[in-house]
Every structure is written in structure tokens, then in C-alpha cells.
Amino acid sequence: MNSETLNTLDTYSKNKYKYGFVTEIDNDKPQKGLNEDTIKFISLKKNEPEWMLEWRLKAFSKWKKMKDPKWSNLSFPKIDYQDIYYYSAPKGFDKKPKDLSEVDPKLIETYNKLGIPLEEQKVLAGVAVDVVFDSVSVATTYKGELEKLGIIFCSIGEAIQKHADLIKKYLGSVIPPGDHSFSALNSAVFTDGSFVYIPEGVKCPMELSTYFRINAENTGQFERTLIIADKGSYVSYLEGCTAPKRDDNQLHAANVELIALEDAEIKYSTVQNWYPGDEDGKGGIYNFVTKRGLCAGKNSKISWTQVETGSAITWKYPSCILKGDNSIGEFYSVAITNNFQQADTGTKMTHIGKNTKSKIISKGISLGKSQNTYRGEVSFLRKAEKARNYTQCDSLLVGNQCGAHTVPYIESKNNTAVIEHEASTSKINEDQLYYCRQRGLSHEEAVSLIVNGFCKQVLQELPMEFAVEAQKLVSISLEGSVG
Amino acid sequence: MFLEIKDLSVKIENKNILKSLNLNINKGEVHAIMGPNGSGKSTLANVLAGKEDYEILNGKINFKDNDLFDLNIEERAQEGMFLAFQYPVEIPGVNITPFLHSAINSKRKRMNEDEIDNLSFAKLLKSRASDLGINIDMLKRSVNTGFSGGEKKRYEILQMSILNPDLAILDETDSGLDIDALKIVTDGVNKLKTKNNSFLIITHYQKLLDYIKPDYVHVMVNGSIVKSGGSEIAAEIEKDGFQKFQ
Ligand SMILES: Nc1ncnc2c1ncn2[C@@H]1O[C@H](COP(=O)(O)OP(=O)(O)O)[C@@H](O)[C@H]1O
Ligand SMILES: [Mg+2]
């Protein structure tokens, strides 16, 4: 399986000769902390051209002057950037569990609940697998088919090598490195992610998914994804897979940029279920993601669908800049928080072009002692004639110790804008629970059914196979929290 | 004894609703309870089903050799108790097919029976639905959501016929039904009836009992059963109302 990782290592060992300073650094354990050498190390490991390294270093010098965004509804200890590894070496070639008996039984149990077959479990749990995993060959088959259509689907690292023109033109064009501290940080140290280019007029015939890629290489904590849909093209992209990811990295700061040219459409779906920390709030990932799409051309469309169930802290606002006239931005979100999780998520819709439309459907479910905030900003610039927004935010509380918050900002500089906003907060309905249980469903099953029903408007936006898994995931996220 | 209610007194929010109520039902029997609004009929149904809002002051209930109070709501359901609600609640986004499928399988699990697979279940559901004049399109909708009163009642009977309970409690299933729907619904009940199951039918009109023949009729007033007998009581009530029982 890990052929790409092997390649990376291979290139790395060849490079050792060229650059002396690397020998001073322990190969397997890059040093902690962030400085210019760290960035050079990463760039070198990735065998990057000079211009890329410069781009990174520029971002780094911006980052040094920046402060982290103000955390509105989140509380956690200050991040010590010098106490973090910035290059997760191909995860533990030596540390890798040898078989499933070395893997946390809780994790295996969850895999089983998700109905994930054994071979797949091994890959996901990072067990060294000798058998060729099916989806790797599947992935190569796909690759051939996609190439025929002129579609580029590869890792961002490969794109930097092979498609420099596209990278130079678009990387950082939607999220400038200096946008805020996390975009600067990511630009300086990103190690992995996907690159997609759909040529003019091409409808991508299959869902593109990182899932297939991830089996071949590990994703880092600073992912960078760039998707470009050229004129009249269409692509649906799935991020991650529904299997739970245990990851000992504390901080994740991904950047995802989407660009839709004239008449193009991008559909981006995410199911995020990283380790949320335990019942007492210990551990878990801090997930600070910047996702932004630019509807650059007329009649273009970008739609974000996300199901967020993991991470100790989620800070994430997939946004759309509606620049092209008649362009459409959509945001469908389910965010479930349990135990001590905190989520502050929502979207930003910026209407620039005429007749632009945006739609926001947000469903927040809070359980345990968690806090769940929807934060949204819809703005209409001066030229956004006859633009429209529809926002619907529903919150569901399960229990008495959790919180749900809705913070919508609206700003309009054009008085032809039409804005509709609906919001609701409710407790899980006892009569519905009673009804389900009277039919023989357990309390837990009943909660899961009702919550899934509550999320349906969003879940149905997901591609079919994904939706089924997402439903199971929703149920699993609710476990142990009721009764 | 199949169901035995002994000296049951129940309170909610400082109000005594059921007062020393006694009722016995044997296997294969159909019982009707009639009584004016507010007499406690739905309360009795909910206490039997296990709804948690009530305070049991006194009494015992035995169901199929279990102390009913030892079982929670879903355990009672899995043991074969079914309540067709007077006001079925809407559950948006929850499709009836997987809902009922999970319901029937949780019952089978408790009874140590094999689960029923998707395909067989879909077939069963379709055929029962068509028996009850329920359009296939209705099976694609969310549980009770946006249904008319009559549609909801039909849906309750559909669920009953799928779950095939040992004891079915019908709480005013007849109200809100026109005469055609009433025929279909009562027909469904009659088809389901065997010598091994029992029915407790709550109504305050006599009309229903023209279609379902009860073995016993009980009059409930102010939280107690004040008179029991055969179908002749229903006729009495039809003629003179509940006045003389109060
Ligand atoms: N949740 C409740 N809180 C307070 N009083 C209730 C509640 N439910 C029922 N009651 C009262 O109990 C009495 C019996 O109600 P119910 O069992 O619904 O009667 P029926 O079904 O015979 O019409 C009524 O006076 C009603 O107002
Ligand atoms: Mg009633």
C-alpha cells in the first residue's frame, strides 16, 4: 500500500546528499517547534522547487507578526507553537501496531459498529498490511479513467511538482496567507492535501474522495486542498471517510480553497469525526479549519455540506465569495457536540455579484456538557443587486447541561437584498421518545432516530453511500449520552 | 390471567386521576372501555404503556406473568403491548419504513426470533398497507408528519398489524374517522384478532362497537370502573348517555 510514502522517503534519502543541514536533524523525529529551518526541512522533504519554499517563508514571516483570532465561544489553553511537531513523519513505520490486537479495542468496536470490514480496519488503524488493499488498486483504475478526461486528481505535493502553473495561479488566491494566523501558519507548514483540476466542460463522472488517497499516504495535521473547476465543469468531492480517526496531533489547521469558474459547480462534502476527547474532556483534537470557495464566474455554484461530530474544539466556517453574477453559495451543516466538546461553526456568505443567492441550513445538536455555536455572516456589497439569502438554524438540546448558541450577523450595503432568517431551539421531544419506545425501540435508538430525522435536510445533501454511513456515525456520536 | 389490574390509583400533578381501578382481561377477549371526556381513559392506557409522568399511588398490574412495573416502556412493547395513540405525535425526518423495521426487529430480538430482512419486511409492509387502503406513497413519508387525523389513525392500525401485539390498546381510534375509514380500520382489527391476543378498546361512542364486537363493556367515570357487562351496556349509553352512571 504505502508506495507513495515510500517514494517520499526515497526522494528524501537521495536529497540528503545535496543539503548538508538535514543530516543534523534526526530523520525520524524532526525537531519540535517552528522556525525557518522547520519550513526548509518540510520543503526539502517534499522535494519542492525554490519558489514554493519562498512562498512558505513569506507566509511564515507574516505569521510571526500575527495574533490568533479571538475565540468567541471557545475556551482552551493557549497553544504553544514551539511545542508541536510540524512534520508528522510517515506515521510510525516502526511504531505501527503489528496486528489488530495492538489497537485500542474501543476503536475496533466503533469500526465494527460502522460495518467496516477487517482489511479496511487494519488500514485505518495504521496496522501494517501486507495484503494489497482493494481501494488502492481501485484508486489507480480511477486515476486512469480520470486522466482520459483531463482531470487532475493528485496530492498537493505532486501538483506542486507537476502543475506549477496552476498552483502558482491559484494557491492562496482565495485564502491569502495573510488572511489570519491559521492561514499563514498553514501556508508556511502544510504537508499534505489534495489537488483537483476539472477542465472546461467536463463533468467528473465519479465522486472524488480523499479516502482512496489516504490509504496510500497519511494526511498531515496541516492539510492544504485546492480544487479548481474550469468553465462549465462539475465535481463532487468527499473529504475524509466516516471511520473515526485517532490521531495524537493536538492541533489541526487545514486550508481548503475552491474556485468555480463560469457555469461551473463544486460540491464539497465533509464528515469530520476526529478524536473528540474522552468523557472527562481529556485529549482530543483542536480543529481550526479555513475553508473558502470563490464563485469566480457567472452562474457558478459552490455548495458545502459538513457533518461535524469529532474534535475537542472545532473552529470552522466554510464560506463562499459570490463574485460572479447569478452565482450560488450553499452551506449545509450538522454539528454534534457531546461530553466536553466545543464547536463554533457556521459560514460566511459574501454577495458581490448581481442576483447572487445563498442558502444556509445549520443543525446543531448538543449533548452532555458540550457547547455548540452557530456563527454566520451574510454580507451584501454595494453592487449585489437583487441578491438573496435564506438562513435556517435549528438547535436541538439533549439534556440540561449543554448549550446551543446562534450568532447570525447580517450586513447589507444594497437595499434590494432579500434576507430570510429562521431559527429554532428545542429540547428533544419527550412525546416523540415515548412514541418510539412504545413501538419497542430502546431509549438510545429512539434518540438516534429523532436526531437523524432532525438532521435529514442536511444528510440528504450528502452523496448516497456517504449518507448511510453518516447516519450511523450520528448514532454512534450520541451513544452513552442518554438515559 | 393475561392482564390483571388490581386496585390501581394514579396521580399526576397533585391530581388523583385513577381511583382504585380493577380490570381483568383474558387471552382472546375484547374489552371496551367507555366513559366521558376526562374520566381517565387515556391515563389508564398510558400507565399500561409505561409513560413516566405518572405517580403510582397504589395497586398492582400483572401482564403475561410479569409485574408490569418491573418493565420499562420498550420492554412492555417488546413483550407484546401496543398502544394506538389518541393523538399520534409527528416525527419529522423519520421515515416510517426503517422505523417500523427497527421496531419489529427489537421485538423479535427479545423473543429470540430471527430478525426480518429488508426485503421481506418491505413486502409485509406493502401488503398490510394495501389491506388498510394506505397508499404506497404514504410509506415514503415521515412518521405522522403532515398527516390528517384520519391518516394518523390508519397509520396506527398499520403499525399494530405489523407488530402483531398480544395486547392492543386502542385509544379513541374511531374519533376523527369517517364511516368508510372506520370500516377499514375495524376490519383490520377483526382480521388481526385470534384466540391468543386481546384488545382493550377505548371509545366514547357506541358506533365503533357496531363493527367490533366486544366480549365485555366497562363504564369508566371519574377514574373508576363503575359498571361492567356485555354489549347491552353500550346500547344503554347510546340511549341515555353517561349521566346515570355518574
Ligand atoms: N399531564 C397532565 N397533567 C395534569 N392533568 C392531566 C394530565 N393528563 C391528564 N390530566 C387530567 O387527567 C384527567 C383525565 O385525563 P384523560 O386520561 O386524558 O381522560 P380521557 O382520556 O378519559 O378523556 C383530566 O382531568 C385531565 O385534565
Ligand atoms: Mg383520552
Side-chain angles (χ1 to χ4, degrees):
Chain A
M1 49 167 283
N2 265 315
S3 62
E4 290 196 43
T5 335
L6 286 171
N7 281 339
T8 318
L9 281 189
D10 203 26
T11 350
Y12 170 54
S13 50
K14 277 184 210 141
N15 279 330
K16 264 206 283 197
Y17 292 104
K18 281 198 239 158
Y19 302 94
F21 77 90
V22 181
T23 36
E24 293 160 25
I25 301 165
D26 186 338
N27 295 353
D28 297 323
K29 276 192 200 145
Q31 282 169 341
K32 262 186 190 175
L34 187 52
N35 52 48
E36 292 209 349
D37 279 351
T38 322
I39 292 162
K40 282 179 190 158
F41 177 86
I42 291 168
S43 191
L44 181 72
K45 274 232 172 193
K46 306 242 98 191
N47 198 22
E48 286 176 354
E50 191 69 30
W51 57 264
M52 196 63 233
L53 176 61
E54 273 166 28
W55 197 83
R56 287 177 182 275
L57 290 173
K58 233 196 226 159
F60 177 63
S61 69
K62 287 205 170 103
W63 178 79
K64 281 194 287 190
K65 292 177 212 130
M66 294 172 111
K67 280 195 181 128
D68 284 344
K70 280 214 183 86
W71 313 104
S72 319
N73 228 330
L74 303 174
S75 61
F76 56 92
K78 196 171 179 319
I79 301 164
D80 181 358
Y81 289 99
Q82 300 308 333
D83 193 34
I84 291 172
Y85 289 106
Y86 288 87
Y87 188 87
S88 333
K91 253 168 237 160
F93 259 81
D94 41 337
K95 273 193 309 200
K96 218 168 239 179
K98 285 191 193 64
D99 54 60
L100 283 181
S101 69
E102 292 182 18
V103 176
D104 187 346
K106 257 195 191 168
L107 188 60
I108 300 295
E109 197 190 310
T110 317
Y111 286 148
N112 287 333
K113 278 182 201 144
L114 281 166
I116 293 173
L118 204 65
E119 286 311 317
E120 237 169 300
Q121 287 187 15
K122 289 183 183 169
V123 174
L124 293 163
V127 174
V129 190
D130 298 316
V131 224
V132 175
F133 179 48
D134 223 22
S135 69
V136 174
S137 49
V138 171
T140 22
T141 328
Y142 280 174
K143 226 171 182 167
E145 211 176 311
L146 295 174
E147 267 165 17
K148 268 189 234 153
L149 292 164
I151 293 170
I152 305 168
F153 178 38
C154 62
S155 72
I156 193 97
E158 194 181 329
I160 290 167
Q161 313 276 353
K162 294 188 184 157
H163 307 284
D165 47 335
L166 288 169
I167 295 286
K168 282 182 182 168
K169 185 167 175 191
Y170 290 111
L171 189 72
S173 70
V174 187
I175 309 172
D179 200 68
H180 54 77
S181 69
F182 285 114
S183 60
L185 180 66
N186 177 286
S187 301
V189 300
F190 73 88
T191 46
D192 215 324
S194 297
F195 176 81
V196 177
Y197 173 78
I198 314 288
E200 191 170 334
V202 172
K203 310 264 178 247
C204 185
M206 63 194 73
E207 316 277 348
L208 297 184
S209 162
T210 34
Y211 183 57
F212 294 115
R213 273 192 352 89
I214 287 172
N215 292 326
E217 54 187 289
N218 286 297
T219 46
Q221 62 194 116
F222 300 99
E223 277 184 73
R224 182 102 201 182
T225 291
L226 176 60
I227 300 176
I228 303 147
D230 213 325
K231 288 180 190 167
S233 68
Y234 169 83
V235 63
S236 166
Y237 185 87
L238 309 181
E239 179 194 286
C241 60
T242 50
K245 281 194 254 178
R246 284 272 160 126
D247 191 327
D248 38 23
N249 288 314
Q250 276 288 113
L251 174 67
H252 278 245
N255 274 12
V256 176
E257 295 176 282
L258 312 183
I259 295 129
L261 302 182
E262 212 172 300
D263 297 312
E265 180 177 347
I266 302 173
K267 195 171 159 59
Y268 191 105
S269 315
T270 313
V271 172
Q272 186 270 112
N273 55 345
W274 280 327
Y275 186 49
D278 66 11
E279 298 80 5
D280 303 319
K282 285 211 194 79
I285 285 167
Y286 296 177
N287 191 25
F288 303 113
V289 191
T290 307
K291 289 184 167 169
R292 198 175 296 165
L294 173 65
C295 283
K298 272 193 293 189
N299 310 317
S300 55
K301 180 175 175 184
I302 288 178
S303 118
W304 299 101
T305 304
Q306 62 173 25
V307 176
E308 301 282 319
T309 67
S311 296
I313 290 179
T314 301
W315 181 90
K316 181 179 173 189
Y317 314 92
S319 307
C320 296
I321 301 169
L322 303 170
K323 191 172 163 208
D325 289 348
N326 312 318
S327 60
I328 298 173
E330 291 176 341
F331 174 73
Y332 299 94
S333 169
V334 166
I336 301 178
T337 52
N338 201 344
N339 299 320
F340 288 87
Q341 278 177 276
Q342 304 174 55
D344 198 298
T345 184
T347 186
K348 224 176 177 178
M349 293 287 177
T350 310
H351 293 256
I352 300 173
K354 281 184 213 129
N355 292 315
T356 47
K357 281 197 207 96
S358 61
K359 182 172 170 186
I360 299 168
I361 308 283
S362 160
K363 305 275 180 178
I365 298 114
S366 332
L367 306 97
K369 295 183 174 159
S370 67
Q371 295 296 327
N372 202 327
T373 302
Y374 166 82
R375 188 180 305 280
E377 185 183 302
V378 179
S379 55
F380 299 90
L381 303 196
R382 223 165 25 81
K383 286 186 182 153
E385 282 293 310
K386 295 192 175 145
R388 302 178 77 100
N389 164 264
Y390 173 75
T391 301
Q392 184 190 334
C393 299
D394 298 316
S395 307
L396 185 67
L397 301 170
V398 184
N400 296 318
Q401 291 175 289
C402 49
H405 318 274
T406 303
V407 190
Y409 298 102
I410 295 167
E411 194 188 327
S412 181
K413 293 194 175 116
N414 186 305
N415 57 14
T416 62
V418 180
I419 302 154
E420 278 178 86
H421 183 93
E422 286 174 33
S424 75
T425 301
S426 50
K427 288 218 155 193
I428 193 151
N429 184 317
E430 289 297 328
D431 287 338
Q432 291 175 340
L433 282 176
Y434 175 42
Y435 189 92
C436 293
R437 295 175 70 193
Q438 205 302 302
R439 298 309 185 234
L441 301 175
S442 70
H443 195 176
E444 250 179 31
E445 283 175 297
V447 170
S448 149
L449 258 180
I450 293 165
V451 170
N452 265 303
F454 174 78
C455 302
K456 190 162 188 187
Q457 246 181 316
V458 172
L459 296 181
Q460 70 190 7
E461 291 296 322
L462 290 170
M464 212 22 198
E465 325 82 273
F466 219 46
V468 175
E469 285 192 55
Q471 267 182 32
K472 283 191 213 159
L473 184 67
V474 167
S475 312
I476 289 170
S477 319
L478 302 171
E479 267 176 24
S481 57
V482 281
Chain B
M1 191 65 65
F2 182 71
L3 178 78
E4 187 174 18
I5 306 173
K6 244 186 166 159
D7 218 13
L8 180 69
S9 297
V10 170
K11 177 169 139 174
I12 189 166
E13 288 178 8
N14 289 323
K15 198 173 159 196
N16 295 329
I17 310 286
L18 300 182
K19 296 159 194 162
S20 301
L21 186 137
N22 291 288
L23 180 67
N24 294 329
I25 297 179
N26 286 305
K27 243 189 204 176
E29 291 177 352
V30 177
H31 289 240
I33 293 189
M34 303 183 73
N37 269 331
S39 55
K41 305 183 296 296
S42 292
T43 303
L44 174 63
N46 284 324
V47 168
L48 288 173
K51 194 178 188 192
E52 286 146 352
D53 309 349
Y54 304 96
E55 190 185 337
I56 311 294
L57 297 170
N58 187 47
K60 273 192 85 146
I61 305 177
N62 232 290
F63 174 58
K64 287 172 70 182
D65 299 324
N66 296 297
D67 178 345
L68 197 64
F69 297 138
D70 286 346
L71 305 178
N72 67 21
I73 303 171
E74 55 268 36
E75 288 164 341
R76 296 179 194 196
Q78 290 160 5
E79 280 292 326
M81 186 180 292
F82 181 90
L83 170 57
F85 287 91
Q86 183 172 6
Y87 304 109
V89 64
E90 303 193 354
I91 314 179
V94 176
N95 182 273
I96 188 78
T97 310
F99 171 78
L100 261 187
H101 193 193
S102 314
I104 194 169
N105 278 338
S106 47
K107 184 172 172 185
R108 281 170 172 247
K109 226 165 152 183
R110 187 175 175 96
M111 296 295 146
N112 288 318
E113 292 168 21
D114 286 340
E115 296 198 349
I116 178 167
D117 62 81
N118 280 329
L119 197 67
S120 323
F121 179 75
K123 275 189 190 155
L124 175 71
L125 186 61
K126 264 190 193 162
S127 90
R128 290 293 158 84
S130 86
D131 288 348
L132 289 165
I134 291 173
N135 198 308
I136 300 297
D137 285 338
M138 291 255 298
L139 300 178
K140 294 181 187 142
R141 288 163 60 179
S142 298
V143 176
N144 296 323
T145 308
F147 288 11
S148 71
E151 283 172 334
K152 285 181 183 167
K153 295 300 174 70
R154 257 192 238 201
Y155 239 69
E156 294 293 284
I157 300 305
L158 172 66
Q159 294 181 48
M160 180 181 83
S161 92
I162 295 283
L163 294 173
N164 195 15
D166 295 329
L167 173 65
I169 306 161
L170 276 61
D171 192 359
E172 307 226 10
T173 300
D174 51 337
S175 60
L177 292 183
D178 60 32
I179 202 79
D180 290 338
L182 187 66
K183 273 182 193 156
I184 292 168
V185 162
T186 50
D187 199 38
V189 172
N190 288 329
K191 264 192 199 146
L192 204 64
K193 200 187 142 350
T194 68
K195 59 183 192 322
N196 289 317
N197 56 22
S198 314
F199 287 82
L200 179 59
I201 292 168
I202 295 170
T203 179
H204 66 261
Y205 302 111
Q206 192 244 348
K207 186 103 238 131
L208 179 70
L209 306 180
D210 291 345
Y211 297 95
I212 301 174
K213 285 283 159 247
D215 301 302
Y216 299 92
V217 176
H218 310 276
V219 180
M220 183 159 167
V221 174
N222 202 12
S224 315
I225 288 176
V226 294
K227 184 163 182 167
S228 298
S231 359
E232 73 285 352
I233 295 182
E236 258 178 74
I237 293 169
E238 180 74 350
K239 204 164 133 251
D240 305 326
F242 291 106
Q243 227 81 33
K244 70 173 188 188
F245 299 103
Q246 274 163 330

